[in-house]
Amino acid sequence: MPHNILVADDDPHIREIICFALEKAGMKTAAVADGAAALLAVERRAPDLIVLDIGMPEMDGLEVCRRLRQRSDVPVLFLSARDEEIDRILGLEMGGDDYVTKPFSPRELVARVNVILRRARPAAAVEEEANDRQFAHGKLVLVPASHAASFDGKPLLFTAIEFAIIKGFLARPLHVLGRDAVMANAYQSNIHVSERTVDSHIRNIRAKLAAVGCLDAIATVHGVGFRLGRCGG
């Protein structure tokens, strides 16, 4: 079944380019011009991923994502006309999975969409077999087959990228992982991701775990990377 992608951007030319590129790659698309319409479209038919422009008028993409994250973990790929690091970090901390700056290459955008979709819903048989495994460390439990996570019985709502990162730590709980290893677990692609982007994802994961009482989820090993904490164990 082809993936359904929602494209939300106030520029009709940008919407046309993105939809054409995604449909050429075998996906189905729907397009809206503002944030309110994007939220309504998600309610009517949950997409597999949203390409979301940050700079839309009235309700910007960050506010749309904030509202979505209150009830959904649908993957979000942000678009922005600005290339400032603070905007990128803010977008990811709001719950986005990745970030593309305008002007962008349609081929790169499609590649990033495919990476996020593979992490959200692995299709290969070998991955499906691996997903039957349940990961547990301390009071933290991940069930990849159902994309479910919990701490001490309290449910956690991770994005696809966040889920892949924490799964990478749980697969090697005694290892210290450098940023390159964290990126490889999350993206499994040659797409370049900045160190600040990785730090933003780690910060977001820590915040979600802290909200349910896990204050020792991921420790920083200065100059080396990150390691899994006791997770309440």
Side-chain angles (χ1 to χ4, degrees):
M1 293 288 293
H3 290 288
N4 292 298
I5 311 298
L6 175 64
V7 179
D9 195 300
D10 60 319
D11 186 328
H13 179 61
I14 294 293
R15 294 198 304 270
E16 182 179 356
I17 290 174
I18 295 173
C19 288
F20 177 79
L22 293 172
E23 289 171 4
K24 187 177 180 182
M27 305 176 202
K28 291 184 177 180
T29 64
V32 295
D34 59 72
L39 291 173
L40 184 59
V42 173
E43 289 290 339
R44 288 178 173 173
R45 185 177 181 183
D48 296 308
L49 180 144
I50 304 174
V51 178
L52 185 59
D53 180 34
I54 288 180
M56 293 183 292
E58 297 185 20
M59 185 188 302
D60 65 22
L62 295 176
E63 176 62 16
V64 173
C65 187
R66 186 187 70 79
R67 297 191 185 190
L68 281 173
R69 286 294 172 255
Q70 294 174 356
R71 60 183 185 273
S72 172
D73 63 349
V74 59
V76 172
L77 174 67
F78 279 120
L79 295 178
S80 178
R82 296 181 291 179
D83 192 26
E84 298 175 16
E85 188 71 21
I86 187 64
D87 295 327
R88 179 179 297 108
I89 299 303
L90 179 60
L92 294 173
E93 289 183 344
M94 291 295 294
D97 293 274
D98 205 350
Y99 189 107
V100 172
T101 303
K102 301 176 183 177
F104 56 86
S105 159
R107 180 178 295 180
E108 179 188 0
L109 184 141
V110 170
R112 289 181 179 267
V113 166
N114 278 322
V115 168
I116 297 171
L117 289 172
R118 282 199 300 270
R119 299 311 310 160
R121 297 184 179 180
V126 63
E127 290 193 35
E128 290 178 358
E129 181 179 348
N131 276 350
D132 288 337
R133 177 183 173 188
Q134 176 175 297
F135 293 84
H137 181 76
K139 297 179 181 179
L140 178 62
V141 176
L142 260 67
V143 185
S146 56
H147 193 80
S150 64
F151 175 79
D152 198 19
K154 302 169 186 175
L156 290 158
L157 193 62
F158 289 127
T159 67
I161 296 298
E162 292 165 0
F163 194 95
I165 288 173
I166 196 68
K167 178 183 172 185
F169 281 110
L170 286 168
R172 293 185 288 174
L174 301 179
H175 289 229
V176 175
L177 302 183
R179 286 179 175 83
D180 287 344
V182 173
M183 285 189 285
N185 288 333
Y187 293 91
Q188 296 191 347
S189 170
N190 290 326
I191 292 175
H192 173 71
V193 180
S194 72
E195 290 188 355
R196 291 288 300 278
T197 297
V198 174
D199 291 344
S200 178
H201 284 308
I202 295 292
R203 201 157 45 240
N204 211 27
I205 292 169
R206 283 172 171 160
K208 290 182 178 182
L209 282 160
V212 295
C214 181
L215 303 179
D216 58 352
I218 300 174
T220 299
V221 181
H222 295 288
V224 182
F226 307 94
R227 62 173 174 79
L228 196 62
R230 294 181 60 193
C231 296

